Amino acid sequence: MIDKDRIILDQQKKIERIEKLQEELHTLATLGMFTIKVVGVPDEDGLLESTMDTIHNLSHAITDVLEGMDPKKAIQENLTGKDNKEEEED
């Protein structure tokens, strides 16, 4: 029984670390995008803004997976710009 309890505790700690990662990525991306727009950080090729946008979308994909979404679907909806097959057909 102790092994089972230990496994559950370890899994909960993993989930908490992933949740913290999601929060940190979201904060980083939000502050980064804000800084680019408000402070006017030079980003002539748009690479910095694109990177911040990707990090932001990744943070939302992580949230979706933590809430039970299939990882492939979370990637599709958050990182490829394709919501689902029905919308692709429209």
Side-chain angles (χ1 to χ4, degrees), residues 45-64:
D45 58 2
L47 183 60
L48 186 56
E49 186 172 2
S50 176
T51 301
M52 291 297 111
D53 187 52
T54 300
I55 292 170
H56 183 253
N57 292 339
L58 176 61
S59 76
H60 284 275
I62 293 169
T63 298
D64 289 345

Side-chain angles (χ1 to χ4, degrees), residues 1-17:
M1 200 64 145
I2 293 175
D3 289 336
K4 185 177 180 181
D5 291 341
R6 183 66 186 167
I7 290 169
I8 292 170
L9 180 62
D10 289 345
Q11 294 300 316
Q12 183 59 39
K13 287 181 181 181
K14 284 180 187 180
I15 292 168
E16 289 171 4
R17 288 192 304 270

Side-chain angles (χ1 to χ4, degrees), residues 5-34:
D5 291 341
R6 183 66 186 167
I7 290 169
I8 292 170
L9 180 62
D10 289 345
Q11 294 300 316
Q12 183 59 39
K13 287 181 181 181
K14 284 180 187 180
I15 292 168
E16 289 171 4
R17 288 192 304 270
I18 294 168
E19 289 172 335
K20 182 67 174 168
L21 171 65
Q22 183 280 327
E23 291 171 6
E24 294 290 332
L25 288 172
H26 194 268
T27 300
L28 171 70
T30 303
L31 290 175
M33 289 187 286
F34 177 80

Side-chain angles (χ1 to χ4, degrees), residues 40-88:
V41 174
D43 187 27
E44 292 174 15
D45 58 2
L47 183 60
L48 186 56
E49 186 172 2
S50 176
T51 301
M52 291 297 111
D53 187 52
T54 300
I55 292 170
H56 183 253
N57 292 339
L58 176 61
S59 76
H60 284 275
I62 293 169
T63 298
D64 289 345
V65 170
L66 287 170
E67 291 175 353
M69 184 181 285
D70 176 71
K72 285 185 180 184
K73 183 173 176 144
I75 290 169
Q76 182 181 28
E77 288 190 6
N78 291 285
L79 297 167
T80 66
K82 298 176 183 174
D83 289 336
N84 59 44
K85 289 184 180 181
E86 292 174 6
E87 289 185 13
E88 287 177 29

